[in-house]
Amino acid sequence: AGTYYGDLVVDDCGICGGDGFSCINAALSFGAFDSSGSLEILYDFGGSIAGFQFDITGLALTGGSGGAAGDAGFDITAGGTTVIGFSMTGNTIPSGSGVLTVLSFSEILSDTTELSLGDFGAVTDSDLNAYNVNLEGLIEHPMDCAGTYYGDLVVDDCGICGGDGF
């Protein structure tokens, strides 16, 4: 503020003397997970969104569709670990919260699935301003004794995986 010996500081939004909540933020998290091949991505946006990029580890991603991104006509690409969504016609997702998109996957690749921005991830508005993004996402995948994720085989009393106990 330019005051000698003043106590105002710049908050997380870049505002001198701000409360840290006056900037527009975005949050992404995991919703419903189905081990047979789908995962909801939830959102809470403080302003309109023109594009997003984030990473999902631990799954062999094959695509994304539906949710608010689908309603806004976004093209959603998911492959490797990266998910990208944007509109070729300039559409945006309005502020609010709900299901952003539903990702599909062909295989579980790891004991855990995590959500991150990775090296190049961002959530942006129409002017390409990046939002402050809060991410929450960790899914632990149980494995049975045969090494199958979400499998139902157990070790019997004789020490045999999937045995009948006799």
Side-chain angles (χ1 to χ4, degrees), residues 25-32 39-47 49-56 68-69 74 81-85 93-94 96-103 113-118 120-124 131-139:
N25 290 312
L28 297 174
S29 60
F30 289 146
L39 171 61
E40 287 181 340
I41 302 299
L42 305 179
Y43 75 96
D44 187 358
F45 296 154
I49 300 299
F52 55 83
Q53 178 175 330
F54 54 87
D55 286 355
I56 303 287
F74 274 40
T81 60
T82 304
V83 178
I84 299 172
I93 299 169
S97 60
V99 175
L100 177 63
T101 191
V102 179
L103 300 177
T113 293
E114 295 184 54
L115 174 63
S116 74
L117 287 180
F120 305 105
V123 175
T124 61
Y131 286 76
N132 294 323
V133 182
N134 181 36
L135 300 167
E136 293 181 19
L138 175 68
I139 299 171

Side-chain angles (χ1 to χ4, degrees), residues 86-166:
F86 62 93
S87 169
M88 295 292 286
T89 59
N91 292 345
T92 61
I93 299 169
S95 63
S97 60
V99 175
L100 177 63
T101 191
V102 179
L103 300 177
S104 57
F105 61 91
S106 60
E107 184 179 1
I108 298 171
L109 303 173
S110 174
D111 293 344
T112 60
T113 293
E114 295 184 54
L115 174 63
S116 74
L117 287 180
D119 292 332
F120 305 105
V123 175
T124 61
D125 65 12
S126 296
D127 295 323
L128 298 180
N129 295 310
Y131 286 76
N132 294 323
V133 182
N134 181 36
L135 300 167
E136 293 181 19
L138 175 68
I139 299 171
E140 294 182 2
H141 305 291
M143 188 181 292
D144 70 6
C145 61
T148 303
Y149 290 112
Y150 297 93
D152 58 3
L153 295 179
V154 296
V155 176
D156 70 4
D157 293 336
C158 300
I160 299 172
C161 179
D164 60 11
F166 297 106

